[in-house]
């Protein structure tokens, strides 16, 4: 499975961005899809996850209420709608795929459990 993120950029605090992650080469509908991010000098952290059908989602506390993850299996794409952006949201954002029909948060929030990763897209939020 190949994953390609897009939609990053430079925005001011309070703005919105929508990230997209287009998949190819696999059975997209059998994968849970996650978003992670890595800020400069920090470890990569979990942001959000959506199950294979789009019926279950889960968010990190730091983005809950501001970010929304969704997917379109027909378009083999997962999205991350980010609103009310803050400077601390500045990071490289990665999408990842994990082959799973179970919504096991212990696995789905751990980057080591994912099978495929995109190359990342930079999001910079200025104050």
């Amino acid at each position: 499975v190949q994953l390609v993120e897009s939609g990053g950029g430079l925005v001011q605090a309070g703005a919105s961005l929508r990230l997209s992650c287009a998949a190819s080469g696999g059975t997209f509908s059998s994968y849970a899809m996650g978003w992670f991010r890595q800020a400069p000098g920090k470890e990569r952290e979990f942001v959000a996850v959506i199950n294979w059908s789009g019926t279950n989602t889960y968010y990190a506390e730091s983005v809950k209420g501001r970010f929304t993850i969704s997917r379109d299996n027909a378009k083999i794409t997962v999205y991350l709608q980010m609103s009310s952006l803050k400077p601390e949201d500045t990071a490289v954002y990665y999408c990842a795929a994990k082959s799973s029909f179970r919504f096991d948060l212990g696995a789905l929030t751990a980057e080591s459990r994912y099978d495929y990763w995109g190359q990342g897209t930079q999001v910079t939020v200025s104050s």
Side-chain angles (χ1 to χ4, degrees):
V1 175
Q2 292 78 46
L3 303 173
V4 179
E5 302 96 333
S6 61
L10 171 63
V11 297
Q12 291 189 330
S16 297
L17 273 178
R18 188 177 80 157
L19 305 183
S20 299
C21 173
S24 62
T27 306
F28 182 71
S29 59
S30 67
Y31 288 87
M33 298 297 297
W35 285 97
F36 291 75
R37 67 185 181 186
Q38 187 167 23
K42 295 187 177 181
E43 294 187 351
R44 191 154 53 185
E45 65 175 2
F46 167 79
V47 175
V49 63
I50 189 165
N51 74 327
W52 66 276
S53 63
T55 55
N56 285 303
T57 59
Y58 181 76
Y59 300 90
E61 283 298 322
S62 58
V63 306
K64 194 174 294 184
R66 300 189 297 122
F67 290 11
T68 301
I69 188 171
S70 62
R71 67 189 294 160
D72 186 333
N73 285 349
K75 295 183 178 179
I76 53 174
T77 300
V78 63
Y79 305 98
L80 186 68
Q81 178 68 49
M82 306 185 294
S83 303
S84 302
L85 282 162
K86 304 175 182 180
E88 51 264 44
D89 294 318
T90 295
V92 177
Y93 283 72
Y94 299 88
C95 72
K98 175 175 171 52
S99 179
S100 176
F101 289 106
R102 296 181 59 204
F103 200 63
D104 178 353
L105 291 179
L108 295 177
T109 58
E111 63 170 297
S112 63
R113 303 295 292 271
Y114 280 77
D115 303 306
Y116 303 98
W117 290 85
Q119 83 291 345
T121 185
Q122 177 71 47
V123 172
T124 303
V125 184
S126 63
S127 56

